[in-house]
């Protein structure tokens, strides 16, 4: 059994300082932990966070902008290969993607761009999305079984957010962003949580802190595991740990046979 946890930590140093980092390992015992929005370079972390006993750890951060974006993978099994980004300089500078190749699958952990802060960022997000789909299709063509996870920053359908009507013209729920997720699924990378829970409502992974949205469960499901269709028979369990604190997102879990 392989247990993978994915979590947008919204600042790894703060998460660790508040005591929400180590319990994730102690209580849930992931074989692989994928973190997004770490906002840190590995040498800024304390030793116990940078090197967790029993795990190999790998970090990616922006080349220019400090305290922004960033992803990390902690894994019990040493990967055959670790890669950073898609090999496209214009899209790799923000430290948004890290991948690890194992014997039976290739795992990609991503913190996908937010389309806010003006039209240029939405354009960047859509470029990133398109390039990423090409990238994973190429990996599949090479015979790799791809799983990708992380903060996709888009809710796919009305069932995936508490207030779809109010957000129809907001980034994160724009038709053009949602169409990309549809395209991913049409290419046989399945949103495995929704696949297993087709009609389940009120399950979210992100809540706005400023408005106290978590207490009222006014949220968005924007954190995902997408699994190559070939791997679906291997999926034993998929879930969300909605009561786990330390970020404006909650961790999500995937267990593979």
């Amino acid at each position: 059994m392989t247990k993978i946890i994915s979590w947008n930590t919204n600042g790894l140093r703060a998460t660790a300082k508040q005591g929400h980092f180590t319990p994730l390992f102690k209580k849930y015992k992931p074989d692989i932990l994928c973190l997004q929005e770490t906002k840190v370079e590995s040498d800024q972390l304390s030793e116990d966070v940078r090197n967790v006993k029993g795990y190999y750890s790998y970090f990616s951060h922006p080349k220019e902008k400090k305290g922004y974006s960033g992803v990390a993978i902690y894994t019990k099994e040493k990967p055959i290969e670790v890669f950073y980004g898609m090999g496209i300089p214009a899209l790799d500078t923000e430290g948004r993607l890290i991948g690890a190749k194992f014997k039976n699958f290739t795992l990609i952990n991503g913190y996908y761009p937010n389309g806010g802060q003006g039209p240029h960022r939405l354009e960047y997000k859509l470029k990133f999305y398109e390039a990423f789909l090409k990238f994973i299709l190429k990996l599949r063509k090479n015979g790799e079984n791809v799983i990708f996870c992380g903060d996709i920053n888009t809710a796919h359908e009305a069932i995936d957010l508490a207030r779809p009507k109010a957000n129809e013209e907001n980034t994160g729920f724009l038709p053009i962003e949602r169409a990309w997720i549809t395209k991913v699924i049409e290419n046989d990378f399945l949103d495995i949580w929704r696949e297993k829970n087709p009609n389940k409502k009120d399950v979210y992974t992100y809540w706005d802190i400023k408005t106290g949205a978590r207490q009222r469960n006014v949220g968005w499901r924007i954190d995902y595991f997408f699994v190559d269709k070939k791997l679906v028979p291997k999926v034993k369990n998929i879930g969300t740990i909605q009561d786990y604190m330390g970020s404006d997102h909650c961790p999500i879990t995937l267990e593979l046979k």
Side-chain angles (χ1 to χ4, degrees), residues 134-153:
K134 281 182 190 158
F135 179 68
I136 57 176
L137 287 170
K138 195 176 166 188
L139 293 179
R140 176 193 276 161
K141 211 173 172 184
N142 293 342
E144 296 180 42
N145 298 318
V146 175
I147 296 170
F148 69 94
C149 66
D151 178 358
I152 305 289
N153 254 319

Side-chain angles (χ1 to χ4, degrees), residues 1-5 28-32 253-256:
M1 191 70 68
T2 301
K3 185 180 193 179
I4 309 169
I5 292 180
Y28 296 101
K29 300 178 172 58
D31 296 290
I32 306 170
T253 63
L254 174 70
E255 287 181 57
L256 297 169

